[in-house]
Amino acid sequence: LKSNQIFDIKKIEAVITGLLPELIAFRRELHGEPEIAWEEHKTTSKIENFLKNHGLQRIAFPLKTGLVAEMVRDRNIPYLGLRAEIDALPIPDEKKVDYRSVYPGMCHACGHDIHTTVVCGVAAALQVLDVELPLNLRFLFQPAEEPIPSGAPRMIEKGVLDNLNELWAMHVDPNLPFGTLSLTEGWVNAQSIRLNWEIAGRGGHSAQPELSNNPIPVCARLIQDIQRMVTDFNGIPEDIKILAFTRIFSSDTSYNTIPDNVRMTATLRVNKEELGQQMISRVQQICAENEKKESVKIKFTFIAGAPPVVNDLHLIRRFKSNLQRTLPGHFRVVENIRSRGGDDFGWYMKSVSGVLIRFGIARDKNQPLLHTTRFDVPEEIISKAILFFIIQILNWNDA
Ligand SMILES: [Zn+2]
Ligand SMILES: [Zn+2]
């Protein structure tokens, strides 16, 4: 087969079908022994063994868990990356299936076992097909997608994006019916920013408030000022800016004591990094104003999560046209699916064009959601997703 040939879809499907029993067993092995962020040691060796059994030689271990494998045809042609996250979550698995987690309190509740299996399946199927690829391929098996700080920036530091032209990723989506595929241009995951305040006043007896400086009313004003600023913030109507105050603690537990200080947290979600930065500096101003006006000390800190995931529109359009031409009717394509949740795939998008696409997995209305204890994925998605990626790889062009 040559890269400019019309590929025989039936042949590709037959290869995937041939690999399927092994892929399903592999997925169930990952699912049964889920490992959380930075502890994915067994998972890493399972992936390594799978890839080596399928003839992949070029394997590197840039971090203590996770790995990178390559299929290189010619160093002068473009490199495409496919990224799968490999970590599970520290939540119990309450499913009844026989492949459920054997580790108490750990569960593959975000579908990363499926993503890993799909990327392994793409590599294995391409090895069997033995075609002349239009690209070199780099498979990134990234640890620790879930925590902040997460694995993507560490992988990038180790050079996994070097001379990479594009990077693709998938996520299963239980909010979409099975067979749906989200090919959305522009942002698809928001950035989440954790905000923390500590307001230090002066405590005292609640019978003599004039002798103290109560931080609680200051906290209340701060909440109102910040909420109003975010609501009124000038922006483009399509932009999102979602602020939620989530916790307030006072330093004292007694009902008749004015506390010395109050701590509070919030999350801010935005679809553009600049928007988040602008609002953070407004929050800093508001804190400074209130500090002066109320004679308190306000310590404001924030932790920015992964940047938003922004899909490259040319890649999305190429995906759509390849799909229409080669697999018409195979998926129901939707174009406007965006999540206010984050994905650390956003870190890669700062320096390489890429896409994160979502595969619908809901069989019915009772489909458990991501990060819940009964979450599971219909395994039929494995072959559908592998076929999708192989079609896109074989029909790759840089137009
Ligand atoms: Zn997750
Ligand atoms: Zn996830």
Side-chain angles (χ1 to χ4, degrees), residues 83 85 87 89 109-112 115 145-146 170-172 342-343 370-371:
R83 175 272 212 168
E85 340 80 310
D87 56 326
L89 284 158
C110 203
H112 298 178
H115 308 163
E145 190 282 322
E146 298 285 355
M170 70 175 285
H171 212 294
V172 292
D343 191 296
L370 295 171
H371 291 215

Side-chain angles (χ1 to χ4, degrees), residues 129-149:
L129 280 166
D130 197 24
V131 290
E132 186 175 282
L133 295 171
L135 306 143
N136 299 317
L137 297 175
R138 186 177 295 156
F139 305 103
L140 312 186
F141 295 94
Q142 180 213 302
E145 190 282 322
E146 298 285 355
I148 298 175

Side-chain angles (χ1 to χ4, degrees), residues 80-217:
L80 165 71
L82 261 179
R83 175 272 212 168
E85 340 80 310
I86 65 171
D87 56 326
L89 284 158
I91 65 173
D93 187 341
E94 292 176 346
K95 293 189 297 294
K96 294 285 175 274
V97 296
D98 58 5
Y99 55 87
R100 71 180 176 274
S101 169
V102 298
Y103 298 153
M106 316 264 169
C107 182
H108 261 299
C110 203
H112 298 178
D113 54 332
I114 295 286
H115 308 163
T116 300
T117 304
V118 168
V119 174
C120 283
V122 169
L126 287 174
Q127 289 284 89
V128 179
L129 280 166
D130 197 24
V131 290
E132 186 175 282
L133 295 171
L135 306 143
N136 299 317
L137 297 175
R138 186 177 295 156
F139 305 103
L140 312 186
F141 295 94
Q142 180 213 302
E145 190 282 322
E146 298 285 355
I148 298 175
S150 69
R154 303 278 311 282
M155 293 279 276
I156 295 166
E157 272 166 32
K158 296 289 180 181
V160 300
L161 295 184
D162 292 357
N163 58 45
L164 204 65
N165 295 64
E166 286 177 27
L167 182 62
W168 306 347
M170 70 175 285
H171 212 294
V172 292
D173 191 336
N175 296 309
L176 297 175
F178 187 90
T180 309
L181 176 62
S182 164
L183 295 177
T184 300
E185 293 174 14
W187 77 275
V188 289
N189 282 90
Q191 178 176 36
S192 152
I193 306 169
R194 215 187 292 175
L195 313 178
N196 311 292
W197 294 265
E198 192 176 322
I199 305 149
R202 196 176 60 255
H205 198 297
S206 65
Q208 290 175 300
E210 69 279 10
L211 298 181
S212 53
N213 187 9
N214 192 343
I216 289 180

Side-chain angles (χ1 to χ4, degrees), residues 15-290:
V15 167
I16 298 170
T17 306
L19 289 165
L20 209 51
E22 191 192 347
L23 288 168
I24 288 173
F26 179 67
R27 182 262 164 160
R28 293 182 178 194
E29 257 182 61
L30 296 175
H31 197 88
E33 296 184 307
E35 294 171 301
I36 61 167
W38 303 119
E39 289 174 15
E40 310 95 333
H41 297 282
K42 274 192 170 181
T43 305
T44 300
S45 39
K46 284 172 192 166
I47 299 166
E48 180 192 0
N49 290 337
F50 181 96
L51 294 173
K52 283 188 171 159
N53 287 340
H54 287 274
L56 277 94
Q57 311 289 341
R58 305 169 62 96
I59 297 179
F61 301 89
L63 301 172
K64 64 176 181 160
T65 54
L67 64 145
V68 176
E70 282 190 341
M71 286 170 69
V72 176
R73 178 168 74 78
D74 173 352
R75 295 206 165 276
N76 300 313
I77 61 174
Y79 276 76
L80 165 71
L82 261 179
R83 175 272 212 168
E85 340 80 310
I86 65 171
D87 56 326
L89 284 158
I91 65 173
D93 187 341
E94 292 176 346
K95 293 189 297 294
K96 294 285 175 274
V97 296
D98 58 5
Y99 55 87
R100 71 180 176 274
S101 169
V102 298
Y103 298 153
M106 316 264 169
C107 182
H108 261 299
C110 203
H112 298 178
D113 54 332
I114 295 286
H115 308 163
T116 300
T117 304
V118 168
V119 174
C120 283
V122 169
L126 287 174
Q127 289 284 89
V128 179
L129 280 166
D130 197 24
V131 290
E132 186 175 282
L133 295 171
L135 306 143
N136 299 317
L137 297 175
R138 186 177 295 156
F139 305 103
L140 312 186
F141 295 94
Q142 180 213 302
E145 190 282 322
E146 298 285 355
I148 298 175
S150 69
R154 303 278 311 282
M155 293 279 276
I156 295 166
E157 272 166 32
K158 296 289 180 181
V160 300
L161 295 184
D162 292 357
N163 58 45
L164 204 65
N165 295 64
E166 286 177 27
L167 182 62
W168 306 347
M170 70 175 285
H171 212 294
V172 292
D173 191 336
N175 296 309
L176 297 175
F178 187 90
T180 309
L181 176 62
S182 164
L183 295 177
T184 300
E185 293 174 14
W187 77 275
V188 289
N189 282 90
Q191 178 176 36
S192 152
I193 306 169
R194 215 187 292 175
L195 313 178
N196 311 292
W197 294 265
E198 192 176 322
I199 305 149
R202 196 176 60 255
H205 198 297
S206 65
Q208 290 175 300
E210 69 279 10
L211 298 181
S212 53
N213 187 9
N214 192 343
I216 289 180
V218 181
C219 178
R221 270 190 288 280
L222 206 57
I223 290 175
Q224 290 186 326
D225 290 354
I226 294 168
Q227 189 77 68
R228 194 174 306 124
M229 179 279 290
V230 171
T231 309
D232 297 348
F233 197 87
N234 288 329
I236 309 168
E238 301 84 71
D239 281 345
I240 65 152
K241 38 180 182 134
I242 300 157
L243 177 72
F245 288 95
T246 49
R247 296 185 296 190
I248 301 181
F249 309 97
S250 98
S251 59
D252 216 292
T253 51
S254 161
Y255 83 96
N256 55 2
T257 300
I258 290 169
D260 280 324
N261 66 66
V262 174
R263 285 174 298 131
M264 122 178 126
T265 65
T267 61
L268 176 64
R269 288 167 196 276
V270 288
N271 62 327
K272 287 180 188 155
E273 256 190 313
E274 315 85 76
L275 190 61
Q277 284 156 358
Q278 288 161 1
M279 283 197 279
I280 292 288
S281 60
R282 284 290 295 124
V283 171
Q284 284 163 334
Q285 276 174 20
I286 292 170
C287 291
E289 285 159 19
N290 277 277

